[in-house]
Amino acid sequence: MDPLISAALQARENAYAPFSKFKVGAAVEDGTGRIHSGCNVENATYGLTVCAERVAIFKAISEGARGFRRVAVVADTETLTPPCGACRQILWEFCGDIEIVLANLSGNSETLRLGELFPRPFDSSFV
Ligand code: THU
């Protein structure tokens, strides 16, 4: 199996999702090939919940990682789960038009690019 998907699957096991029960795992491969993973972390206020994708990317950034090549997102859904709008904005900031691998627990996966999911982004070229 693709090691990026394995890392996201493994991270999903740590999801803290007592409110939605919807567990998500994500993993990002940096410019050196190192993999950084994350899971969703919910909060009783709901609004402070952080998605798996943002946990993975913020962990990676805070450790000095850059030059991301690919990101994987794993959830237990038949229709593969794409990153939410907020995560698309954050991924664009740090990864640009990165390759995104969506996968589920049945072994289905699909690879697409962030530019397809997030056309005409607002980014640092405007400010
Ligand atoms: N969630 C993610 O972690 N990533 C996604 O791509 C979609 C949604 C989380 C947030 C929340 O904990 C739960 O899934 C339900 O929305």
Side-chain angles (χ1 to χ4, degrees):
M1 186 193 288
D2 182 334
L4 199 65
I5 295 177
S6 308
L9 263 172
Q10 208 176 321
R12 183 181 167 279
E13 291 301 312
N14 297 325
Y16 177 75
F19 307 107
S20 72
K21 318 277 188 225
F22 190 77
K23 297 167 120 194
V24 185
V28 62
E29 181 185 335
D30 72 21
T32 71
R34 186 174 160 207
I35 291 175
H36 309 259
S37 63
C39 61
N40 52 330
V41 182
E42 298 188 343
N43 184 268
T45 63
Y46 291 23
L48 292 178
T49 291
V50 187
C51 294
E53 295 90 325
R54 273 175 286 155
V55 171
I57 197 81
F58 288 158
K59 278 175 63 190
I61 290 290
S62 70
E63 286 170 18
R66 296 293 188 271
F68 303 104
R69 298 167 176 164
R70 296 190 304 148
V71 56
V73 183
V74 174
D76 186 16
T77 53
E78 195 183 323
T79 300
L80 299 170
T81 299
C84 78
C87 289
R88 293 178 197 196
Q89 179 73 44
I90 296 293
L91 286 169
W92 186 269
E93 181 80 20
F94 295 111
C95 311
D97 192 17
I98 197 175
E99 198 169 279
I100 302 193
V101 184
L102 307 180
N104 65 16
L105 301 194
S106 312
N108 299 324
S109 67
E110 180 186 353
T111 302
L112 58 168
R113 301 201 76 92
L114 184 55
E116 298 174 57
L117 290 177
F118 197 54
R120 208 167 160 179
F122 175 79
D123 60 22
S124 60
S125 68
F126 290 92
V127 292

